[in-house]
Amino acid sequence: MIETSIARHRILIVGGSGGVGKTSVSAALGLAAARAGHRTLVLTVDPARRLAAALGLDGIGPEAEDVTPRLNSGGSAVSGELHAMMLDVRSTLNRAVERHAPNAERREQILNNRLYQNIAGRLSGSQEYAAMQQLEEIASRQDYDRIILDTPPTTQAIDFLTAPERLQAFFDSNLIRIFLTFSGRAGRGFFRVTDVLFRTLERLTGAQVIRDITEFFEVAESILEPFSAQSARARQLLRDRQTAFLIVTGANPHQLEEACGFSAALDEMGIKVGNVVVNRWLPPLQDKAPVVPDALASEQLAARVEYWQAALERLARVQTRAIDALEAQGVPGLVRLPEMPGAIHSLEGLAALCDRLCAGHDDESAK
Amino acid sequence: MSSPLLQTELGAVFDRRFLFVTGKGGVGKSLISAALAVRAARRGERTLWVEMSESPRGGHFFPGFEPRYELAPVQDQLWGMNLRVQPAIEEYLAVAFKIPFLTRLIARNTLFQVLTGALPGLDSLIPLGKIWYELGRRRGRSPYWDRIVLDAPATGHALAMLRFPQAALDIVKSGNVADRAREIDAILGDRALTGLIAVTTLDELPVDETRDLLSHVHDETDYRFEAIVCNEVLPNIGQDESSRYRDWLGGEPDTELDSLVAGDDASRRRLSWLEDRRCSQQARANHLSASQVPMFRAPWIPLTDEAELLDAMIDEFART
């Protein structure tokens, strides 16, 4: 049950592959937490414009916005509070540099370095890294009872977990020390592998890039330790008892298979999965194609109606069988969300999704 | 969809020798690019289908095929590969610097991998360089490949790839990188050779992202997208009798979920839900048409097995 997950965890991380409705589910989850009386924050990345409009986030920057007054005046009153915030990758990373830099000169050197400017926001993994960092900052401030993190859109769900660690490898201080020892002229010799390596890089990229890298590493070393410490705290937070993952997936078999793999991977990493939400499920009807009245029907129309009715029914059964199989494998807290009529573009739509999420739509209504 | 906005016959741009296919994650980019590759192969063209993914889908579409960096036969006249940056760098170093003895040692050095991973543009240069190499290969007097279909990365990375030649030439005027950038620029800018194709579904976010991609590429580069493939276009069941069909379905679509899944007349309401979705798609197609790039229709196919889905899409393309 979704309510149980909300009751037991302060931090809920909503993960899943691109295009499965993660952001909508995160917003609905936030609403559910606010209804349960919690002071709630939904931290999201690049929501659909109409969803943003529904939340009152249209054109607003990375500051937390209080959506509660809109909920209360819009007939969807909550006993808690709902705040929403958009993740700004570059400013999050810049803020960390500002906080961790030992002095103003170092700070400026890093912020103005071309390699850093290229990395901040563009290197794969920086969005995920920033999301984790932002989560850690907010969690440590104790401003909110419930924090819901809508993870950045990735093709594969698992990327969210591996991306920050790949980026961390870049900042690994051992690597940087090695680089510093051989990039200095004094450290270079004719037969050394590192020398060949260095010259290969130079030929590949041009000397200017090498200068940027060298400078970046020279200054980056000074902020590495606080950076790594914060990143380690963020990773710790994922495994904390107060944290649970909520996996959102589409209803087609290959999507469910991927969600199952994601759930197993989280489990292996010691990260708790609270719920698996199957979105966009087409429930079967076991209903015959409707009869097209004579006044309307050409034979072709009647045939098309019958054809598509049967096609939808077949699809519904394939999906339902796959979901049943997933449930039988014992994935935690499976919730089925049937196809919704259209995208969410109002608070009412969000409230309806929230109702469905909490009702945990089971097989009963499909039969 | 009866809309004249969406063409049902694939146009001449799909016959270019190099097809660069991109789109937002989850819209069916791999499906469309695979179907285009099979379409060419079945016409007897020697075709290469190139994925660029950490978790390639080739094995789902073509049971028995294992996508790897090394080219491998997929089916008659069709070869496939998964173009990952790291093995491509090894190959590139061996070819560009003629130092095979040290190449492996260098390319597999952890530090080197981390650095190349962080170097801006290298993940654009290396894959496009590989495509350039394959396009230039000869078999006797004719090209080795009649057709190369690139299942390019999702929009963000694809945009970086298309920006790369100009960005690189702004920084370096001579040397290895500049040479490669000029070669790649010549390919991407050659409208007799290359077709840039965007795939999207007619949903809100993918349409917005596609419009963003097109306006960035058209504003910042000399390249032009010449086709948008709209995937998962819902059927127009009413066709010529659309308005009467809608009247019968009950006018306003029913938004109450429970009435969609239960009750005496659930089938009719589900068709009504489908018709409502189709109308939203039509509205988004209108919105997308502002980009003035020809749009093509790829139907929604109610199948879930990826191999079956590909077969059905190939049949759709073959009909045109």
Side-chain angles (χ1 to χ4, degrees):
Chain A
M1 286 290 279
I2 292 287
E3 284 99 327
T4 318
S5 290
I6 293 173
R8 290 190 184 156
H9 305 99
R10 190 163 81 94
I11 297 168
L12 290 166
I13 301 176
V14 181
S17 299
V20 296
K22 251 184 328 217
T23 303
S24 300
V25 169
S26 303
L29 192 62
L31 182 56
R35 279 180 179 173
H38 300 294
R39 186 176 152 83
T40 308
L41 175 76
V42 176
L43 175 60
T44 184
V45 189
D46 195 23
R49 278 165 209 168
R50 286 190 299 170
L51 178 67
L55 286 171
L57 281 174
D58 231 3
I60 290 173
E63 300 300 318
E65 278 298 314
D66 191 355
V67 191
T68 321
R70 285 172 57 93
L71 289 173
N72 290 339
S73 66
S76 186
V78 294
S79 54
E81 290 175 29
L82 182 61
H83 302 253
M85 184 192 277
M86 274 206 247
L87 178 73
D88 181 330
V89 175
R90 185 172 283 271
S91 73
T92 302
L93 294 177
N94 287 354
R95 218 170 40 248
V97 169
E98 281 161 20
R99 170 151 11 108
H100 298 319
N103 55 51
E105 187 198 351
R106 277 277 184 266
R107 189 184 66 214
E108 290 309 307
Q109 270 180 308
I110 293 174
L111 293 179
N112 293 325
N113 181 275
R114 289 205 311 186
L115 183 63
Y116 171 76
Q117 290 176 347
N118 254 304
I119 291 170
R122 269 198 34 194
L123 185 60
S124 78
S126 57
Q127 218 179 24
E128 290 80 0
Y129 191 89
M132 281 309 300
Q133 186 188 295
Q134 179 84 305
L135 176 68
E136 198 273 329
E137 279 173 34
I138 294 167
S140 68
R141 282 205 305 268
Q142 308 285 338
D143 291 344
Y144 300 97
D145 310 327
R146 292 294 177 272
I147 303 166
I148 289 147
L149 172 67
D150 168 27
T151 58
T154 51
T155 319
Q156 303 284 317
I158 196 76
D159 290 349
F160 174 71
L161 294 170
T162 54
E165 300 194 1
R166 268 181 280 146
L167 195 67
Q168 183 66 35
F170 177 80
F171 286 109
D172 188 289
S173 50
N174 284 334
L175 277 179
I176 291 181
R177 285 198 193 97
I178 295 167
F179 187 88
L180 289 176
T181 44
F182 80 76
S183 68
R185 290 282 151 186
R188 298 177 67 185
F190 191 72
F191 292 109
R192 294 167 63 168
V193 172
T194 47
D195 184 51
V196 179
L197 191 157
F198 188 71
R199 276 190 288 145
T200 307
L201 262 178
E202 227 169 40
R203 288 172 70 179
L204 199 61
T205 60
Q208 173 60 42
V209 182
I210 297 297
R211 272 201 300 281
D212 285 337
I213 295 176
T214 313
E215 185 205 56
F216 176 74
F217 278 173
E218 275 163 8
V219 292
E221 203 186 16
S222 64
I223 62 162
L224 268 178
E225 263 167 41
F227 239 101
S228 299
Q230 187 179 22
S231 162
R233 280 199 304 277
R235 284 205 298 270
Q236 196 53 45
L237 202 59
L238 287 179
R239 293 168 176 83
D240 200 285
R241 280 184 55 223
Q242 61 179 340
T243 305
F245 252 76
L246 190 138
I247 299 173
V248 185
T249 170
N252 287 333
H254 65 96
Q255 296 173 306
L256 294 168
E257 215 171 276
E258 201 205 316
C260 190
F262 187 35
S263 175
L266 287 169
D267 212 45
E268 212 163 276
M269 295 168 81
I271 298 172
K272 182 177 175 185
V273 178
N275 297 91
V276 175
V277 176
V278 183
N279 200 12
R280 311 227 170 109
W281 166 51
L282 194 66
L285 303 174
Q286 301 176 330
D287 198 0
K288 283 205 181 71
V291 179
V292 182
D294 290 344
L296 174 66
S298 60
E299 257 175 54
Q300 290 91 330
L301 177 59
R304 285 195 298 270
V305 164
E306 195 158 329
Y307 173 84
W308 283 103
Q309 163 59 21
L312 289 170
E313 195 56 24
R314 269 197 309 276
L315 180 65
R317 298 223 174 123
V318 169
Q319 290 188 347
T320 305
R321 263 202 308 275
I323 300 170
D324 289 346
L326 186 69
E327 193 160 35
Q329 284 175 38
V331 297
L334 189 107
V335 179
R336 302 169 192 224
L337 285 181
E339 276 276 12
M340 298 253 301
I344 293 177
H345 45 82
S346 64
L347 281 176
E348 293 88 79
L350 191 60
L353 179 62
C354 178
D355 290 342
R356 263 163 229 169
L357 192 60
C358 294
H361 215 282
D362 53 32
D363 275 343
E364 293 310 305
S365 51
K367 280 170 184 161
Chain B
M1 211 181 258
S2 60
S3 160
L5 282 176
L6 298 183
Q7 304 177 31
T8 48
E9 275 189 32
L10 297 181
V13 61
F14 295 91
D15 292 329
R16 305 265 170 86
R17 220 174 121 227
F18 171 43
L19 300 180
F20 181 104
V21 184
T22 182
K24 182 175 164 59
V27 299
K29 179 175 63 66
S30 299
L31 171 69
I32 297 296
S33 70
L36 289 172
V38 175
R39 174 176 179 259
R42 290 205 181 156
R43 293 195 304 210
E45 296 169 13
R46 198 178 159 85
T47 304
L48 175 62
W49 179 59
V50 183
E51 285 188 274
M52 286 185 62
S53 172
E54 277 179 50
S55 36
R57 307 267 296 282
H60 298 248
F61 288 129
F62 305 105
F65 167 62
E66 253 185 74
R68 303 148 66 111
Y69 183 72
E70 291 74 27
L71 298 176
V74 179
Q75 45 181 247
D76 195 30
Q77 290 296 91
L78 179 64
W79 283 258
M81 73 173 292
N82 186 24
L83 211 183
R84 303 297 301 142
V85 173
Q86 206 56 50
I89 286 180
E90 286 185 28
E91 192 179 81
Y92 179 75
L93 288 177
V95 175
F97 298 112
K98 301 184 176 61
I99 41 168
F101 175 68
L102 281 172
T103 299
R104 282 247 159 103
L105 197 58
I106 292 169
R108 295 204 171 148
N109 179 292
T110 313
L111 175 60
F112 185 82
Q113 291 188 3
V114 170
L115 288 175
T116 51
L119 285 175
L122 212 62
D123 58 349
S124 299
L125 178 148
I126 297 291
L128 287 172
K130 172 69 175 171
I131 296 289
W132 169 83
Y133 170 75
E134 293 295 339
L135 280 170
R137 275 175 78 181
R138 313 286 300 172
R139 196 172 47 144
R141 295 171 65 183
S142 47
Y144 192 80
W145 301 110
D146 298 319
R147 180 76 64 118
I148 298 179
V149 182
L150 176 64
D151 180 9
T155 38
H157 185 188
L159 180 59
M161 286 173 79
L162 295 172
R163 279 171 173 158
F164 164 75
Q166 197 50 56
L169 289 170
D170 284 347
I171 298 169
V172 286
K173 301 286 180 230
S174 61
N176 203 282
V177 171
D179 294 345
R180 295 292 92 72
R182 270 189 278 271
E183 287 157 4
I184 291 164
D185 177 59
I187 287 171
L188 293 175
D190 182 348
R191 293 174 76 172
L193 173 69
T194 300
L196 300 186
I197 296 164
V199 180
T200 185
T201 57
L202 292 170
D203 294 314
E204 188 186 0
L205 276 178
V207 164
D208 287 346
E209 202 168 304
T210 304
R211 292 194 59 172
D212 284 352
L213 170 73
L214 297 188
S215 61
H216 278 297
V217 169
H218 294 180
D219 292 349
E220 299 167 29
T221 75
D222 296 332
Y223 317 133
R224 290 291 169 268
F225 273 88
E226 291 179 81
I228 301 172
V229 176
C230 297
N231 190 23
E232 297 183 6
V233 176
L234 292 171
N236 182 359
I237 299 174
Q239 290 190 6
D240 305 338
E241 298 163 275
S242 224
S243 66
R244 285 202 295 161
Y245 174 68
R246 284 179 69 78
D247 284 346
W248 169 66
L249 289 177
E252 281 297 295
D254 203 332
T255 54
E256 266 311 304
L257 173 82
D258 291 339
S259 69
L260 278 179
V261 296
D264 294 336
D265 210 8
S267 288
R268 192 166 61 99
R269 280 190 299 268
R270 190 159 71 181
L271 291 169
S272 166
W273 160 81
L274 193 68
E275 180 67 6
D276 183 45
R277 292 266 307 256
R278 185 185 73 82
C279 291
S280 323
Q281 287 195 340
Q282 179 96 47
R284 295 210 186 86
N286 269 315
H287 182 56
L288 189 58
S289 68
S291 62
Q292 301 200 311
V293 174
M295 301 196 293
F296 298 87
R297 175 184 186 276
W300 177 63
I301 298 169
L303 293 172
T304 57
D305 180 87
E306 291 183 283
E308 289 175 17
L309 196 57
L310 176 63
D311 280 341
M313 190 60 82
I314 293 163
D315 288 346
E316 287 291 336
F317 284 172
R319 284 200 302 192
T320 70

